[in-house]
Amino acid sequence: MASEKSQDAFSGFFDGNEMAGTYRNVRPTYPKEMASKIISFVKERPGEVKFAVDVGCGSGQSTLILADHVDKVLGVDISADQIKYAKNSPMPPNVDFKVGSCGDIPVETGSVDLITVGTAIHWFNLDDFYKEVDRVLRPGGCLAIYTYNGTQIEHREEDKNKSINDLLTKFEDRVLGNNRPPSHWSKIFCGENTFCELELPYTDTKRDASLSIKSERSVASLVELIKSYSESKEFLRKHTDGNKSFIELQNQIMSVLNSNGNTADESPITLVLPLYVSLARKPE
């Protein structure tokens, strides 16, 4: 284990049972195809894939998709409440969770075959993290960083599809774009597709933007997802009446859908989140 822990000014940002429960209930599950692509990359070189560590695991959505592919998966997060929630949720017997950080991963040197980071890299000090990655990965081991960016929906009626996506874009530009936690938020999300330009610690790399997360959920659940974003939390912290903006967004979407008297909880919608995956292999 690293001798010094990275101190994170936002380590308490995700604390509390309500926040952990929100993450588990509204954050999306990553597709199995993404896990298969990551494992295929690791297996391009000799060596077994037995132990994976998911850093910044939150309540465990990113961790659990690896369980079918390796002997053991460890989810690591700086928030004790997120880890507690993850450990108390249903999980396969080969999955465990521990408190740790991007600069202090609680495993032995050279013991890890695969490190993953699911929609969390924007919170990390990359210099600290990449040093720790190099410490814990075995020669030939791999790093997989992936995220979704940009909330979209699909609707069979083209005019409704465009109207709702325009609403989401304007809302994200106004609320999310202006409320990224200062001094800590990585610039990799400040422009379209810039995640694909994320600097990686090794030269053997692969980028993939061919996948997306697609799920059916209610309009209310869609708005709760957006509300769970850290930019939204920052917006709500700054504005005591900020919740009105989310209610307004929900009402605007419902107005476009013209849901025949159904509530936002009863009105289904197809969520689409584009995925960006960056892979890197440590030299053998």
Side-chain angles (χ1 to χ4, degrees):
M1 186 180 295
S3 59
E4 296 182 4
K5 292 187 177 182
S6 295
Q7 298 301 311
D8 191 324
F10 291 93
S11 61
F13 196 91
F14 303 98
D15 288 345
N17 289 331
E18 182 180 356
M19 175 69 85
T22 296
Y23 262 56
R24 174 53 68 97
N25 292 330
V26 305
R27 287 298 177 104
T29 300
Y30 297 93
K32 293 180 179 180
E33 294 86 350
M34 186 187 73
S36 296
K37 282 186 178 242
I38 292 170
I39 296 298
S40 293
F41 179 76
V42 181
K43 290 183 176 180
E44 287 177 4
R45 297 290 186 276
E48 295 181 299
V49 190
K50 290 187 174 183
F51 184 26
V53 177
D54 182 36
V55 184
C57 67
S59 53
Q61 286 92 329
S62 176
T63 315
L64 296 177
I65 64 168
L66 302 170
D68 290 340
H69 298 276
V70 298
D71 293 346
K72 180 181 177 182
V73 189
L74 176 66
V76 173
D77 200 274
I78 199 168
S79 167
D81 287 323
Q82 292 277 5
I83 292 298
K84 180 180 178 181
Y85 198 95
K87 289 176 78 73
N88 288 333
S89 300
M91 60 182 178
N94 64 331
V95 175
D96 195 11
F97 295 92
K98 289 183 180 180
V99 173
S101 73
C102 66
D104 186 15
I105 302 172
V107 298
E108 297 298 322
T109 298
S111 64
V112 180
D113 303 299
L114 171 65
I115 294 175
T116 60
V117 182
T119 315
I121 194 69
H122 47 287
W123 288 106
F124 292 3
N125 179 307
L126 289 183
D127 289 338
D128 289 349
F129 177 55
Y130 287 162
K131 287 178 183 176
E132 188 70 342
V133 166
D134 199 57
R135 181 185 72 82
V136 304
L137 274 182
R138 65 163 171 82
C142 295
L143 168 67
I145 303 172
Y146 41 90
T147 191
Y148 49 84
N149 188 32
T151 310
Q152 303 173 10
I153 65 100
E154 284 185 358
H155 195 281
R156 64 181 182 278
E157 297 181 34
E158 185 175 345
D159 58 336
K160 291 183 178 181
N161 189 76
K162 183 179 185 307
S163 295
I164 294 174
N165 280 322
D166 285 348
L167 286 171
L168 293 172
T169 298
K170 290 177 182 178
F171 186 85
E172 290 193 342
D173 287 346
R174 178 173 64 89
V175 174
L176 275 63
N178 294 323
N179 289 282
R180 294 189 169 98
S183 77
H184 189 74
W185 197 278
S186 170
K187 295 181 180 179
I188 58 176
F189 292 115
C190 294
E192 186 176 359
N193 293 337
T194 52
F195 182 81
C196 295
E197 300 168 9
L198 173 69
E199 182 180 354
L200 296 170
Y202 306 120
T203 57
D204 184 0
T205 64
K206 186 176 182 179
R207 315 274 181 161
D208 191 300
S210 66
L211 298 175
S212 62
I213 300 171
K214 184 179 287 190
S215 65
E216 300 295 324
R217 58 174 64 205
S218 68
V219 171
S221 178
L222 169 66
V223 175
E224 285 300 310
L225 169 65
I226 297 170
K227 197 174 177 180
S228 78
Y229 295 163
S230 46
E231 302 100 321
S232 297
K233 296 298 182 184
E234 184 74 0
F235 175 79
L236 291 167
R237 186 186 67 80
K238 293 177 180 177
H239 302 87
T240 56
D241 62 346
N243 196 52
K244 292 180 180 179
S245 294
F246 296 90
I247 295 173
E248 180 183 6
L249 174 64
Q250 180 171 289
N251 290 339
Q252 289 172 332
I253 295 173
M254 291 296 291
S255 177
V256 172
L257 290 176
N258 190 20
S259 295
N260 298 320
N262 290 335
T263 67
D265 287 310
E266 298 167 334
S267 300
I269 202 164
T270 302
L271 170 70
V272 180
L273 298 169
L275 273 173
Y276 303 94
V277 183
S278 295
L279 306 169
R281 189 188 319 277
K282 182 177 178 178
E284 296 178 53

